[in-house]
Amino acid sequence: MLILALDVLERDVALDVARKCGEYVDFIKVNYPLVLSAGIDVVSELSEIRPVIADFKIADIPYTASLIADIAFRHGVRAVIAHGFAGSDMLRAVRDVADRHGGEVYAVTELSSQGGREFMTRHTLEIVDVAKEVGCDGLIAPATRPERIAEIKKRAENLRVICPGVGAQGGRLEDVLKAGADGIIVGRTIYQSEDPARTAREIRERIDGLMK
Ligand code: C5P
């Protein structure tokens, strides 16, 4: 599975990159930079090109978290990403909203950045357990630390594990898939390349070759 992280700031650029890369990616992931600068309606427009994952890293009290998730699903997203560290009550609230919309929920285990090690790593496996208990569809795990992916995947059982951090953050596609990831999230390596469609196609081919 290849997920395009579309952290560009302009609506027109986002739609252009999405249209060019659409046939090579399974999902488009949107994050705050795009939504805060282009407005939430861009999410609906992107959803018409490919299914969208709203990476709003929801981490709030259950009531507020439900409102955020509901706005995302009302704009056509297929899935939302919520922080596992916010706890089971919040994940459950987001799960309930997703169920009302027929959508999916992914829980962040630990961030792929160095800072992800400072506090999150200590609790990652507990977060995996809570995500399973709540019935999340998948987990976000760090492509920058393949050894962590293997551990998370083992504990995750049938939850999908998708990994940001390939390319710009230093993670290697081959290592990530070998560690058991079900998909990779790639942003800058694609949308900042000279030819985003060609780069997306090349990554897709590498994934297909490795997952055969
Ligand atoms: O440009 P790059 O490929 O590094 O993009 C990675 C994307 O994944 C960004 O949107 C980033 O916010 C997100 N992300 C991450 N690490 C996590 C969760 C999400 O890099 N643990």
Side-chain angles (χ1 to χ4, degrees), residues 15 30 35 39-50 52 71-77:
L15 291 172
V30 297
V35 169
I40 185 80
D41 288 337
V42 72
V43 169
S44 313
E45 293 184 278
L46 289 168
S47 295
E48 286 168 22
I49 299 170
R50 286 317 266 155
V52 169
I71 291 168
F73 285 117
R74 280 193 285 108
H75 285 82
V77 309

Side-chain angles (χ1 to χ4, degrees), residues 5 7 29 31 55 57 110-112 140 164 169 186-188:
D7 295 322
K29 185 179 82 65
N31 199 336
D55 184 6
K57 293 197 184 62
E110 54 184 72
L111 289 173
S112 47
I140 311 294
Q169 297 182 54
V186 184
R188 286 164 286 180

Side-chain angles (χ1 to χ4, degrees), residues 2-205:
L2 174 60
I3 298 141
L4 169 65
L6 202 47
D7 295 322
V8 296
L9 301 184
E10 283 130 25
R11 170 190 171 272
D12 293 353
V13 176
L15 291 172
D16 182 51
V17 174
R19 285 191 191 108
K20 285 180 174 148
C21 299
E23 64 178 296
Y24 308 115
V25 306
D26 301 286
F27 293 93
I28 296 167
K29 185 179 82 65
V30 297
N31 199 336
Y32 289 114
L34 177 61
V35 169
L36 293 178
S37 61
I40 185 80
D41 288 337
V42 72
V43 169
S44 313
E45 293 184 278
L46 289 168
S47 295
E48 286 168 22
I49 299 170
R50 286 317 266 155
V52 169
I53 301 177
D55 184 6
F56 295 156
K57 293 197 184 62
I58 305 171
D60 215 308
I61 58 168
Y63 174 74
T64 312
S66 307
L67 294 179
I68 297 167
D70 192 60
I71 291 168
F73 285 117
R74 280 193 285 108
H75 285 82
V77 309
R78 172 77 60 86
V80 295
I81 297 178
H83 262 304
F85 72 69
S88 53
D89 60 346
M90 188 208 73
L91 280 181
R92 226 167 254 124
V94 173
R95 174 77 268 171
D96 288 346
V97 174
D99 286 343
R100 285 208 296 279
H101 292 274
E104 297 182 346
V105 180
Y106 285 82
V108 179
T109 56
E110 54 184 72
L111 289 173
S112 47
S113 50
Q114 275 303 318
R117 283 180 194 271
E118 284 176 28
F119 306 108
M120 300 175 94
T121 299
R122 263 173 268 157
H123 298 286
T124 295
L125 296 181
E126 292 162 80
I127 289 174
V128 174
D129 290 342
V130 168
K132 281 196 296 193
E133 224 175 274
V134 167
C136 289
D137 300 280
L139 298 162
I140 311 294
T144 46
R145 298 191 280 279
E147 72 287 357
R148 303 292 297 154
I149 299 173
E151 215 175 322
I152 290 165
K153 181 66 189 172
K154 193 165 153 218
R155 188 78 155 235
E157 296 171 350
N158 56 351
L159 265 65
R160 289 190 286 274
V161 175
I162 59 175
C163 303
V166 169
Q169 297 182 54
R172 287 188 60 242
L173 169 65
E174 289 73 15
D175 298 341
V176 173
L177 295 182
K178 215 158 83 194
D182 299 290
I184 57 162
I185 299 171
V186 184
R188 286 164 286 180
T189 301
I190 294 177
Y191 66 75
Q192 288 182 351
S193 74
E194 219 168 273
D195 184 345
R198 194 183 68 208
T199 308
R201 193 188 67 228
E202 285 169 1
I203 296 174
R204 166 101 258 162
E205 286 169 0

